[in-house]
Amino acid sequence: FTVSDADVADPSLIKQKQLAAEREFLSAESERNVISREGSLLLEDDIQFNVAPPAASVDGTATSKSSSWSLDAASSESLQGITFEGHDLADLLAELEDDAPPAHAAAESAESAAVIMDDTLPRFDDDDAASDIPSSAGMGNVDDDAEEEAAAEAEAAKQARLLRAQLLRLRDAMFRDDPHFTKRSLSQLNTEAVQYQKAGDDLAAICSYAKLFHKAKAGNLTHPELHVTHYNRAGCYLSLGLYEEALFDAQRCATLAETRMRTNPMGAAAIWIKSFARKGYALNGLKRYREANIAFSEGLKADPFNDEMKRGLEESSRGVLRDLLRGRGLEMRALPSTESFNTSERITYHGYATPLHKIRHDDMLPAQLLTPFQADNDHHIKDTYNYLTVQTDIRMPRRYFSYLQDEYRQRRVCEAIQMAVRYQEEELDRDARVLNVAAGPGLHAMAALDAGARHVTCVERWLYLAMSCKEVLLTNGYTDDQVKVVYKRPTDIALLRDVPVYTNVIVAVDLLDEGLLTSGLLPAVTHALDNLAIQDPVVIPSSVTVFAQAVQIKTPECCGFDVSAVDRHRWHPSYACGVPLNTDYIVPLSEPIEAWNFDLLTPPRESERKTVDIPFTRPGVWNAVLFWYDLNLFQDKVRLSSGLVDGREVSPTLRPAVQYLAGEIRVTADRGYEADGSGRAITTMPLLCTHNTVRMRFDVERAEYMHLNRADASFPNYHFHALADTRRNEAYYRAIERAVARRKAMKPTPETSGFSPLTSGEESEVHVLDAGCGTGLLGMMAARCGADSVVGIELHESLAAVARRNVAANGLGDKVSICVRDLALAERGKEVRRRGANLVVMDFFDATLIGHQALYMVETMQRNVVQPDATYVPMAATMYVMGIEAVTDRINGKQFASFNKYRWDRDAEAVYLKDVPHRKLTKPKKVFEFFFDRRGSMRGGSMREAVLKLEVIRSGYMNGIVFWFDLHLDEESSLTTAPPGIGVGGVVFRADAGGAADKDAPMTAPAAPRDEDGVAVDEGRFLASCDARTRRRIAEAAVVSTSGDDGANHGFVPALAFGGAREGLVFRLGGYGLGYYTDVPWSVRAEARSKLIHEALGVAASKRGDDKPAADSTTSAAPPQPTAPLSVEVADVDEEHYYGQALQYLERAASVTAGKKITVLARRENNKVRFSLKEGVGTWVGKSPWRIEWGGGASIESPHYQRVHYCELLVRDFLMRLRCKRFPPIEKDMKMMLAHAGSLFLDPAVLAEVYHEFVCLELVHGTPEFSPGASLEAMTRSCLMYC
């Protein structure tokens, strides 16, 4: 009801109007069957409290339905002296009368409030959402927009003050008119307030709620559903634009609802979830967009399908972006005061009785270090330390294969050792006695002995490296009088007991890692100089210079989608990631600066800190520091660097390190830029460099960050590589677009399981399931291609949060919902609609295709949440194998064959075959086919064993099988994970397809094609330079039959399913679709491909206008061309997908002869594919000591096997502790190990791997329920390249 000026003078009129309004509402309430019973404050969930539509005035403009006030002189006089928020109340009300908001502003406020409150109102389109997102292109008008926004905020603040004053006046009037309201029950008072709220009178509703809370406070009363009242009043405040009051009620509602859920979880849960929406919109109104973003994200965790919160998340995301473009909303990280630190501090060790469980390492640079003795004996951390020790023991030998194959590094180090030995003998005239710290397999020790060293002491901290060092030395003829191998930590070595005499050459090159200090370089050298060496010995390296550079490492747009939310998880526990860096994504923002210089003859014994200025040379987003070091190995004559040369790594084992900052700092042209002599715009920021002799760190103090990073050790970093796989993303996008279009145009019929066309103008609905959605990229592709709804299901909570933010950033929240759930436990009616999904997009494949329980997941989806006739992207996959020889024989002329026993493992590993020295011995061969749709699951996909006859093309020692897969996205597109030089269908493009090390390939092939000048053309490089059409033609030449010229499909037999083997034919997805193609011999395919290359060369020459024809353009006819257009996508020659290839070493290896065939058995065991030779063929390969279960007799278990089995027991014990929830998380112990890795001589790369595995194990087993498909391998999948 509306209160006029006369009503103010006569309170009885107000009472009469109120009773009339109540009677009118009660009659309407009985018709709508609204629940409002005695003793309950709960309202129906489907009732929305909205501001009523504005009524039309005489002049056609809209007017607000909220109560308006006009004061007479007596009323104004009675309010004199009363203040509100520092203002006179009478003046405020007079100002309200004079400066009432215009009608159109009230209408806009009502409409915006209705959008907030009503889920049924139309939502904005994708185009509208995109237009609201500010971009850098429009930054020229940022100042004008800021001024307009400041004026609007000032006007809104003024109106809020007037509304608050109006509320105070109305509250006092209602209290005065109803003096006996305290005699009514809380439920009756709530009913009165709800009636006002449903009638659209939010002012009166708020004042009525004030009666309820006044009675509750005065009488010390409560009600089990009081949280509903706070929820309703928050809605009233939101409608009026009083966001501070709305925020208070929303927070109070959440607190009371959470308490209520302990006794009535079903009744209070719905309001508790909705309170996040109230809180988020209140924060949006207060321009606190970051907090609103968090509130909406928390609410969507509980209710992923809430459209109101998804719209709010989009709004808050746009608000954060607008603030950042205007230089507002930046975050700051609390750092300790610099006054509490000295520029240097003596490094000491903890006492033996120190309670290690109370030590905190927030800064990760402790001044007091742990000793190995403490880590071995303290009962709080000894299990963790022992587990890390054993795991590093068994992982380090395989790491050393890459060290041995790093020719650049080994050549420089061996040269420095030889010069140091000769320097001792020739210039100083004394015998060279060498201490080789971290000796590894003994390569450096043999280099010293060959140079003339009198004696070498090899110190190795890891057991199996020490054993292999001794074995290699004996194999190469070195005696115990020349060399001694000691299995100890470098700081435990003692003179006489371990080192016979003082040494004069110290070699510690293999103690280097990406972070320089984190493997214990300085403690080891310091101990050797103090206790084991003569005065002024030669130390290799003699000095180290550390350089740092400000860089930007961010994920660009993927197929037009903003996926920048994933960049907030750019964090790594250690600097040694163990894999190569993708330098294409590293953008330098400054010139390199020198950070530290260490003289290893006088190594530092104190922590140091200093500030250096970073001069920026280009604008960007600074989120990481790239640092590397230059080694002076010997007297400035031999140097070695871990940096980049021309943007690429020089050494595959010495890489630059990346340390991410606490967040992202925008470096723009308007922040302190000034011109130098060259005219370039340069700004300078201080960088704090710190080290404590076992770890370095780079920080920016008191910086304002665009976003603060989330240090989540469980986050799977391979997703960065997946987003960088452009060809894979584009292929999926095209296949999803085709799949959505087909589903739109076709519908299932009851008579058949197939499809029938719709009538003109009709469209079928497409409901997509993004299985294992990860960052949400595939689901967003489906939504943008026209899908009606998309549900992404992801078990990892941080990944789901990233997907949710990506969806909001792209304005697709109205279509895409993200659920945190185990995919195998998803149910219809909960995560997926009751009728199920009819289109499934998925990419949970690893290098072995099915290693992440892919088949189990597909079968479970088909049974639980997918329609029988659903479409799958991808629809099928084909696995191929190839036999190789991968052995380490001689390094620098020394025999290392005994070290090969550490290669063998029962399971396959993901690799890039081009990075593994090998020789290709056989042709590729198809082994398994998998059909993911339900119609194909019973044909071929259930095959568990296969007998393969591999054709040998080169003689050698076959000890490994490399296998990969073709992913058939649909009938038109396929992508392959084959090694470079091999395309879809196992087609070999060039002879050296085995990799860079496969240079002696005597394959039977036609003459190499030549250009118009008669110069031989490299087929691989030529294909890489061709357009897509030419590559497709050349690829399909491998499957086109050349036996006939009638053009009748060239030996193609269409088939919808694999119907068994047919002689001379191979079942595959090719240019004519799915069916049987002629299995043309390799030589014929190569000949056809060579002819096509000749033809392409001739076309290229004619386009250039050359008179000279192609070499064979007149002497050879072009091969017959297929009548149907070719649409199979062929991978580029030298580009590889993020999956990599799978390499399995055989348990029995055999020598093979070119021209023969060798039988290989393939067996699928659950989610593993294993290969072996036929029984009785080949000889047993050597195995690592811990792989041999029995040793010393038939009934004696190997002690090496027992050590590894002890680790399994520790994991089980950890899971037992995890379930009781009485122990701190494993991350606390791992952080302590990381902080002290240098003093404990732990390998940082292995430590980071184990850290990631344990926190993922903790995450999986901490969920309420999970299926066998939630495998640890899926979350801890190795990343082949750090992007």
Side-chain angles (χ1 to χ4, degrees), residues 850-894:
I850 62 174
H852 292 169
Q853 300 284 354
L855 298 183
Y856 171 82
M857 289 295 189
V858 171
E859 293 171 2
T860 308
M861 282 191 303
Q862 292 174 348
R863 188 168 56 248
N864 296 340
V865 295
V866 178
Q867 294 180 3
D869 59 349
T871 303
Y872 291 78
V873 178
M875 60 177 294
T878 307
M879 185 180 294
Y880 294 88
V881 301
M882 182 173 64
I884 65 170
E885 173 188 291
V887 295
T888 299
D889 188 16
R890 289 186 173 274
I891 305 294
N892 292 348
K894 303 299 180 183

XYZ file of all heavy atoms in Angstrom, residues 850-894:
347
model
N 44.600 -46.565 -22.827
C 43.618 -47.036 -21.847
C 44.195 -47.075 -20.435
O 43.590 -47.636 -19.531
C 43.108 -48.443 -22.230
C 44.266 -49.452 -22.236
C 42.423 -48.413 -23.574
C 43.820 -50.880 -22.453
N 45.345 -46.455 -20.224
C 46.006 -46.569 -18.930
C 45.290 -45.863 -17.800
O 45.536 -46.156 -16.628
N 44.408 -44.917 -18.114
C 43.686 -44.181 -17.076
C 42.266 -44.711 -16.909
O 41.339 -43.947 -16.684
C 43.645 -42.693 -17.418
C 44.982 -42.043 -17.344
N 45.223 -40.762 -17.819
C 46.165 -42.486 -16.855
C 46.491 -40.452 -17.629
N 47.069 -41.481 -17.056
N 42.118 -46.031 -17.035
C 40.820 -46.689 -16.884
C 39.810 -46.160 -17.900
O 38.614 -46.024 -17.593
C 40.292 -46.478 -15.455
C 41.155 -47.002 -14.347
C 41.069 -48.512 -14.204
O 40.259 -49.151 -14.880
N 41.873 -49.087 -13.330
N 40.264 -45.883 -19.112
C 39.378 -45.296 -20.113
C 38.233 -46.237 -20.470
O 37.071 -45.808 -20.561
C 40.187 -44.938 -21.367
N 38.521 -47.520 -20.675
C 37.466 -48.459 -21.051
C 36.461 -48.642 -19.918
O 35.249 -48.723 -20.153
C 38.083 -49.803 -21.437
C 39.029 -49.775 -22.651
C 39.523 -51.177 -22.967
C 38.322 -49.178 -23.861
N 36.942 -48.688 -18.696
C 36.042 -48.813 -17.542
C 35.119 -47.602 -17.448
O 33.914 -47.721 -17.200
C 36.860 -48.966 -16.260
C 36.048 -48.884 -14.987
C 35.367 -49.999 -14.517
C 35.963 -47.697 -14.280
C 34.620 -49.930 -13.354
C 35.222 -47.614 -13.117
C 34.558 -48.731 -12.651
O 33.819 -48.654 -11.509
N 35.684 -46.421 -17.675
C 34.886 -45.205 -17.614
C 33.823 -45.191 -18.710
O 32.669 -44.810 -18.476
C 35.795 -43.981 -17.751
C 36.672 -43.731 -16.549
S 35.698 -43.334 -15.102
C 36.976 -42.846 -13.962
N 34.177 -45.595 -19.920
C 33.222 -45.599 -21.020
C 32.090 -46.580 -20.738
O 30.896 -46.269 -20.925
C 33.937 -45.930 -22.341
C 32.922 -46.163 -23.457
C 34.880 -44.813 -22.734
N 32.428 -47.764 -20.275
C 31.397 -48.753 -19.975
C 30.482 -48.276 -18.856
O 29.264 -48.466 -18.914
C 32.052 -50.084 -19.605
C 32.793 -50.749 -20.750
C 33.603 -51.947 -20.298
O 33.545 -52.261 -19.088
O 34.282 -52.564 -21.125
N 31.042 -47.653 -17.836
C 30.221 -47.164 -16.728
C 29.317 -46.026 -17.178
O 28.141 -45.948 -16.774
C 31.127 -46.692 -15.577
O 32.054 -47.730 -15.252
C 30.302 -46.361 -14.351
N 29.827 -45.125 -18.004
C 28.988 -44.043 -18.534
C 27.826 -44.602 -19.337
O 26.682 -44.153 -19.205
C 29.834 -43.118 -19.414
C 30.714 -42.149 -18.678
S 31.395 -40.915 -19.800
C 32.236 -41.922 -21.010
N 28.100 -45.561 -20.195
C 27.044 -46.137 -21.013
C 25.961 -46.782 -20.153
O 24.782 -46.717 -20.486
C 27.643 -47.173 -21.968
C 28.535 -46.585 -23.033
C 29.230 -47.644 -23.860
O 29.227 -48.820 -23.504
N 29.843 -47.235 -24.957
N 26.354 -47.333 -19.061
C 25.405 -48.007 -18.183
C 24.596 -47.034 -17.323
O 23.438 -47.290 -16.992
C 26.163 -48.992 -17.290
C 25.283 -49.891 -16.463
C 26.074 -51.021 -15.848
N 27.193 -50.544 -15.038
C 28.461 -50.705 -15.342
N 28.788 -51.323 -16.461
N 29.429 -50.252 -14.556
N 25.179 -45.896 -16.980
C 24.560 -45.023 -15.982
C 23.938 -43.755 -16.540
O 22.829 -43.387 -16.140
C 25.594 -44.642 -14.907
C 26.070 -45.838 -14.112
O 25.413 -46.878 -14.081
N 27.200 -45.689 -13.466
N 24.631 -43.018 -17.412
C 24.206 -41.650 -17.704
C 24.113 -41.324 -19.186
O 23.847 -40.174 -19.532
C 25.170 -40.644 -17.030
C 25.097 -40.746 -15.532
C 26.597 -40.835 -17.523
N 24.295 -42.277 -20.079
C 24.332 -41.990 -21.509
C 23.213 -42.760 -22.199
O 22.942 -43.918 -21.867
C 25.702 -42.358 -22.116
C 25.722 -42.095 -23.611
C 26.805 -41.566 -21.436
N 22.577 -42.117 -23.162
C 21.534 -42.773 -23.939
C 22.128 -43.864 -24.825
O 23.283 -43.776 -25.238
C 20.806 -41.739 -24.799
C 20.010 -40.723 -24.012
C 19.303 -39.730 -24.909
O 19.358 -39.826 -26.140
N 18.633 -38.765 -24.292
N 21.325 -44.894 -25.147
C 21.869 -46.000 -25.970
C 22.355 -45.569 -27.344
O 23.294 -46.144 -27.883
C 20.679 -46.969 -26.068
C 19.812 -46.639 -24.904
C 19.966 -45.163 -24.672
N 21.708 -44.552 -27.932
C 22.086 -44.143 -29.283
C 22.953 -42.894 -29.276
O 22.977 -42.137 -30.256
C 20.837 -43.890 -30.129
C 19.960 -42.809 -29.515
O 20.215 -42.431 -28.350
O 19.026 -42.342 -30.188
N 23.681 -42.658 -28.214
C 24.470 -41.436 -28.079
C 25.631 -41.416 -29.066
O 26.106 -42.454 -29.535
C 24.988 -41.297 -26.657
N 26.082 -40.205 -29.358
C 27.246 -39.987 -30.211
C 28.458 -39.727 -29.336
O 28.353 -39.039 -28.317
C 27.012 -38.784 -31.137
O 25.823 -39.017 -31.904
C 28.191 -38.565 -32.063
N 29.610 -40.254 -29.743
C 30.833 -40.125 -28.966
C 31.895 -39.411 -29.792
O 32.060 -39.680 -30.979
C 31.371 -41.505 -28.539
C 30.515 -42.219 -27.526
C 29.352 -42.868 -27.908
C 30.866 -42.242 -26.185
C 28.555 -43.525 -26.985
C 30.089 -42.892 -25.250
C 28.922 -43.528 -25.664
O 28.137 -44.176 -24.733
N 32.580 -38.495 -29.157
C 33.756 -37.837 -29.747
C 34.899 -37.985 -28.754
O 34.863 -37.380 -27.683
C 33.492 -36.348 -30.040
C 34.742 -35.695 -30.596
C 32.318 -36.167 -30.983
N 35.880 -38.863 -29.061
C 36.071 -39.660 -30.281
C 35.186 -40.896 -30.281
O 34.722 -41.342 -29.240
C 37.554 -40.040 -30.203
C 37.822 -40.105 -28.738
C 36.999 -39.022 -28.110
N 35.023 -41.448 -31.471
C 34.166 -42.615 -31.627
C 34.934 -43.925 -31.551
O 34.342 -44.963 -31.224
C 33.424 -42.537 -32.959
C 34.326 -42.485 -34.172
S 33.432 -42.477 -35.755
C 32.699 -44.090 -35.747
N 36.243 -43.900 -31.841
C 37.018 -45.147 -31.855
C 38.500 -44.807 -31.773
O 38.903 -43.639 -31.864
C 36.723 -45.962 -33.110
N 39.300 -45.824 -31.588
C 40.751 -45.669 -31.546
C 41.401 -46.946 -32.045
O 40.860 -48.048 -31.865
C 41.236 -45.338 -30.134
N 42.560 -46.796 -32.660
C 43.336 -47.928 -33.165
C 44.751 -47.829 -32.625
O 45.356 -46.759 -32.672
C 43.369 -47.929 -34.705
O 42.038 -47.849 -35.208
C 44.027 -49.191 -35.229
N 45.259 -48.930 -32.122
C 46.591 -48.966 -31.529
C 47.570 -49.631 -32.497
O 47.249 -50.643 -33.127
C 46.564 -49.730 -30.199
C 47.877 -49.727 -29.445
S 47.775 -50.648 -27.881
C 46.624 -49.633 -26.975
N 48.788 -49.061 -32.586
C 49.837 -49.570 -33.459
C 51.103 -49.799 -32.647
O 51.333 -49.120 -31.632
C 50.124 -48.585 -34.603
C 48.981 -48.417 -35.561
C 47.996 -47.465 -35.328
C 48.879 -49.211 -36.699
C 46.939 -47.307 -36.207
C 47.829 -49.054 -37.583
C 46.855 -48.108 -37.329
O 45.810 -47.958 -38.207
N 51.931 -50.728 -33.113
C 53.169 -51.055 -32.410
C 54.318 -51.081 -33.401
O 54.130 -51.185 -34.625
C 53.074 -52.421 -31.697
C 51.952 -52.431 -30.696
C 52.925 -53.558 -32.703
N 55.517 -51.008 -32.843
C 56.732 -51.068 -33.652
C 57.865 -51.536 -32.746
O 57.980 -51.089 -31.586
C 57.035 -49.693 -34.239
C 58.266 -49.631 -35.142
S 58.401 -47.997 -35.934
C 58.646 -46.949 -34.508
N 58.678 -52.442 -33.227
C 59.819 -52.928 -32.457
C 61.036 -52.042 -32.642
O 61.332 -51.591 -33.743
N 61.773 -51.798 -31.549
C 62.941 -50.918 -31.602
C 64.073 -51.534 -30.800
O 63.886 -52.474 -30.006
C 62.630 -49.508 -31.053
C 62.292 -49.582 -29.556
C 61.523 -48.835 -31.830
C 62.222 -48.235 -28.885
N 65.237 -50.987 -31.021
C 66.415 -51.294 -30.210
C 66.800 -50.018 -29.457
O 67.071 -48.986 -30.062
C 67.567 -51.744 -31.096
C 68.877 -51.915 -30.338
C 70.050 -52.175 -31.270
O 70.098 -53.267 -31.874
O 70.905 -51.281 -31.419
N 66.773 -50.090 -28.140
C 67.122 -48.941 -27.301
C 68.049 -49.423 -26.203
O 67.603 -49.916 -25.158
C 65.866 -48.309 -26.705
N 69.346 -49.329 -26.439
C 70.351 -49.769 -25.477
C 71.449 -48.726 -25.388
O 71.669 -47.939 -26.318
C 70.955 -51.141 -25.870
C 69.913 -52.238 -25.827
C 71.592 -51.072 -27.246
N 72.112 -48.724 -24.269
C 73.301 -47.891 -24.080
C 74.503 -48.813 -24.116
O 74.662 -49.677 -23.236
C 73.234 -47.153 -22.732
O 72.080 -46.317 -22.725
C 74.479 -46.311 -22.529
N 75.336 -48.648 -25.126
C 76.471 -49.559 -25.296
C 77.767 -48.901 -24.857
O 78.344 -49.249 -23.828
C 76.546 -50.003 -26.751
C 77.583 -51.096 -26.953
O 78.010 -51.696 -25.943
O 77.966 -51.334 -28.113
N 78.224 -47.897 -25.585
C 79.491 -47.251 -25.278
C 79.301 -45.743 -25.192
O 78.625 -45.126 -26.019
C 80.554 -47.567 -26.334
C 81.039 -49.012 -26.289
C 82.183 -49.249 -27.250
N 82.736 -50.580 -27.078
C 83.677 -50.901 -26.197
N 84.207 -49.950 -25.429
N 84.134 -52.120 -26.096
N 79.899 -45.154 -24.164
C 79.918 -43.712 -23.960
C 81.380 -43.297 -23.850
O 82.108 -43.787 -22.973
C 79.151 -43.295 -22.694
C 77.719 -43.827 -22.723
C 79.169 -41.786 -22.537
C 76.850 -43.231 -23.789
N 81.831 -42.433 -24.742
C 83.230 -41.998 -24.765
C 84.192 -43.180 -24.820
O 85.260 -43.168 -24.207
C 83.554 -41.136 -23.544
C 82.829 -39.802 -23.575
O 82.266 -39.425 -24.594
N 82.837 -39.098 -22.460
N 83.789 -44.210 -25.537
C 84.635 -45.387 -25.683
C 84.586 -46.340 -24.514
O 85.287 -47.366 -24.527
N 83.759 -46.104 -23.505
C 83.669 -46.970 -22.332
C 82.410 -47.823 -22.414
O 81.377 -47.391 -22.914
C 83.656 -46.145 -21.046
C 84.863 -45.227 -20.897
C 86.166 -46.002 -20.858
C 87.369 -45.075 -20.713
N 88.651 -45.812 -20.743
